[in-house]
Amino acid sequence: MRNGNSVEVVIGGAGFAGLALAIALRQGLGDPFTVAVIDPALAHAQSKDPRASAIAAAARRLFEAIKVWDPVAENAQPILDMVVTDSKLDDAVRPTFLAFGGEVEEGEPFAHMVENRHLVDALVAKAKKLGVGLRAGAVTNFETNNNSVKVSLSSGDPISARLLVGADGAHSMIRERADITTHGWNYDQSAIVTTVAHEREHNGRAEEHFLPAGPFAILPLTGKRCSIVWTEKAREAERIVALPDAEFHAELEKRFGLHLGEIRVVGPRRAFPLGLFTAREFIGERLALVGDAAHIIHPIAGQGLNMGLRDVAALAEAIVDAARLGLDPGGPDVLERYQRWRRFDTMMMGVATDGLNRLFSNHSDVLRLARDIGLGLVERMPALKRMFIREAAGFTGDVPKLLKGEAL
């Protein structure tokens, strides 16, 4: 399958997951294995995504393995330590109940903060260099038969493949066309996301302030800047985002504090609805779902993007192993291996983040006392803290090769 309208794998979606998967497959299998990525965003010369993401250590190893980390390293801020507080909004003092050192291994931070645009641009450049077919457009429909899947594009030019991958986000059209339902619920919460500049150095410290409405996270970026992920009830988030600049600043400062000196908003402010949703199946006939198309979790643990990259590592390894044996990369055995690998981990992370959100996002003094006692106990148990750090870094369970930094 080598002509322009016939490839081995079509990937719908050019976000982190879709581009990383395309690169991993091309690196693992070389020129005979052709891959196309379809996304309307590819019409733009550079990414316009203003957000930033926490890249866990295992995900960073994946990016190193596919050789896209070096171009973004200078724009990546290591998280050197993290503190957790629990208080009411108007409390004069926010005592630290839990503090984590930032290294998962000696000299290796458990996470880095990277602005999305830098990483997407590096992924696009690497994909082009490797000969991945990048097409600006959208997957509009598809039909499968025993040997291939015929994919319809918004451009009108169909393309056939042996596997279609849905990496097209939470509102995945590919998942919908495959008639794969999701189960889960909305939280009636939204995350307000923006970038803040401040007077003093953050020294690589991340902060998670648990407030009754939800967590308020201060995540360090390069320079004297931080990314804010601020959870509120959905209606309250809409109100806050719509405030005039001075009033928005007052609400922000009330939560951010003055420990980093004067602050000012230097990026767009947006509110994103939060929920927990998991696809009932991660696969279909000649179809696999990855990233947000397969699962959405609460950002309370900063694991959403990293879960998607775990999908990428598992699916890439399953496909590469099969193709090297001369097997069909879109065959049911390959896809079942991927689904078995990812379903349990995804469900457990969903349960964990849902439980944390319900425990911390409430006004109950009884629950606050109980969780503060729990945080205090964890603070006094170094072995348990190390376990949490390794979990957050992505090094627990059956870890695919790419997440260990190993080439396929």
Side-chain angles (χ1 to χ4, degrees), residues 23-72:
I23 293 167
L25 293 176
R26 285 287 293 167
Q27 285 185 334
L29 295 169
D31 285 340
F33 198 89
T34 49
V35 181
V37 178
I38 318 297
D39 194 308
L42 291 170
H44 303 297
Q46 292 181 312
S47 172
K48 299 181 182 299
D49 191 338
R51 295 170 296 174
S53 297
I55 307 299
R60 181 189 53 76
R61 290 185 182 185
L62 179 151
F63 288 130
E64 286 184 336
I66 64 173
K67 297 180 172 56
V68 297
W69 186 251
D70 283 351
V72 300

Side-chain angles (χ1 to χ4, degrees), residues 100 103-104 381-392 396:
F100 291 99
E103 291 186 340
V104 67
M381 300 174 70
L384 188 57
K385 289 171 69 174
R386 284 194 295 273
M387 184 192 75
F388 286 152
I389 285 288
R390 291 193 64 78
E391 177 69 37
T396 58

Side-chain angles (χ1 to χ4, degrees), residues 115-150:
E115 289 163 278
N116 291 5
R117 59 192 173 91
H118 296 308
L119 193 45
V120 170
D121 288 347
L123 287 164
V124 168
K126 187 65 176 180
K128 287 179 179 178
K129 185 176 180 180
L130 289 173
V132 174
L134 300 177
R135 300 193 184 190
V139 174
T140 58
N141 210 343
F142 56 91
E143 297 178 0
T144 58
N145 57 44
N146 288 335
N147 299 312
S148 66
V149 52
K150 183 178 179 181

